[in-house]
Amino acid sequence: GAGVSQSPSNKVTEKGKDVELRCDPISGHTALYWYRQSLGQGLEFLIYFQGNSAPDKSGLPSDRFSAERTGGSVSTLTIQRTQQEDSAVYLCASSLSGVPYNEQFFGPGTRLTVL
Amino acid sequence: DAKTTQPNSMESNEEEPVHLPCNHSTISGTDYIHWYRQLPSQGPEYVIHGLTSNVNNRMASLAIAEDRKSSTLILHRATLRDAAVYYCILRGTGSARQLTFGSGTQLTVLP
């Protein structure tokens, strides 16, 4: 079946512009996660959605970052007034639920470059 | 989630078994041990997970110490495509649901 998809695959933007990154999780997966990976760095958690519960936003680095998940499926990560330090690969993952024995399936990521 | 410790890098020859160690001395009784890997320019990929007993799947085996303070991911016959960063991650039943990635082990497979 189809895996997690993300769009765009690459995004180049100018400092100060807003960007939207999209994630289509695997159908039926109630848990959705956003992570980012800066060049040469490890993966950093950003936000977690589980069903209709309030999202866990504890990993968002600043109030310029926000995310929503519509209809329990597609999610959009929005970065306002982008800065050069926002340049990274943004990865989305989904799992059947948030329980600790469920594996997470990752998308290919969106590479964001802020000039 | 409790912390894990892995070697920064390891090398293996193609077609030989690889044993990737992970220490997790502060593991709690409800923590699952997960392994993910990240191939170059790709998102992480699930490899295997376990709780107390050793586990096998098509990709690898997971050997868990009796006291659960360490575990070993075993690739039975390394191929060049197994070259990746391997992450050992503990996932518990606490409020955090995300994966917490450390620095992992960079596995190099030599032809």
Side-chain angles (χ1 to χ4, degrees):
Chain A
V4 177
S5 61
Q6 293 186 245
S7 60
S9 55
N10 282 284
K11 176 72 175 178
V12 180
T13 190
E14 293 179 347
K15 178 182 172 181
K17 300 285 189 183
D18 297 352
V19 295
E20 284 190 353
L21 312 179
R22 176 187 169 105
C23 172
D24 284 85
I26 293 173
S27 177
H29 281 193
T30 64
L32 186 147
Y33 310 77
W34 283 97
Y35 299 84
R36 75 174 176 181
Q37 187 168 32
S38 303
L39 186 62
Q41 301 297 311
L43 283 93
E44 174 189 7
F45 164 73
L46 297 176
I47 189 169
Y48 159 62
F49 295 90
Q50 172 58 58
N52 295 321
S53 302
D56 176 356
K57 304 179 183 179
S58 60
L60 295 179
S62 78
D63 58 9
R64 296 186 295 104
F65 288 72
S66 63
E68 63 177 18
R69 188 177 185 192
T70 54
S73 181
V74 172
S75 177
T76 302
L77 177 68
T78 301
I79 309 173
Q80 295 179 310
R81 305 181 303 282
T82 52
Q83 303 294 312
Q84 289 183 332
E85 61 263 28
D86 299 334
S87 296
V89 176
Y90 288 80
L91 291 154
C92 175
S94 71
S95 63
L96 273 174
S97 73
V99 295
Y101 47 81
N102 280 163
E103 63 182 281
Q104 292 186 17
F105 295 84
F106 283 80
T110 293
R111 181 175 297 277
L112 175 66
T113 303
V114 182
L115 303 177
Chain B
D1 293 324
K3 182 178 172 58
T4 63
T5 304
Q6 301 176 251
N8 289 332
S9 63
M10 291 185 64
E11 278 188 357
S12 173
N13 293 319
E14 197 176 9
E15 303 292 315
E16 290 186 356
V18 182
H19 290 232
L20 298 165
C22 180
N23 287 320
H24 27 79
S25 59
T26 60
I27 191 171
S28 74
T30 55
D31 284 342
Y32 286 79
I33 302 162
H34 284 249
W35 284 81
Y36 282 74
R37 71 180 186 180
Q38 188 171 22
L39 280 64
S41 301
Q42 295 189 25
E45 172 188 35
Y46 167 82
V47 178
I48 199 166
H49 78 275
L51 183 60
T52 57
S53 303
N54 295 344
V55 184
N56 300 294
N57 67 18
R58 64 175 180 80
M59 289 182 69
S61 295
L62 176 60
I64 301 172
E66 194 169 339
D67 63 5
R68 300 213 321 129
K69 293 185 177 182
S70 65
S71 61
T72 302
L73 178 70
I74 302 166
L75 306 179
H76 296 286
R77 290 182 65 191
T79 70
L80 297 178
R81 288 173 295 178
D82 291 323
V85 179
Y86 286 78
Y87 298 97
C88 169
I89 300 168
L90 301 184
R91 297 190 72 199
T93 55
S95 59
R97 290 289 180 256
Q98 69 272 20
L99 296 170
T100 301
F101 289 84
S103 53
T105 297
Q106 173 70 63
L107 176 66
T108 301
V109 180
L110 304 173

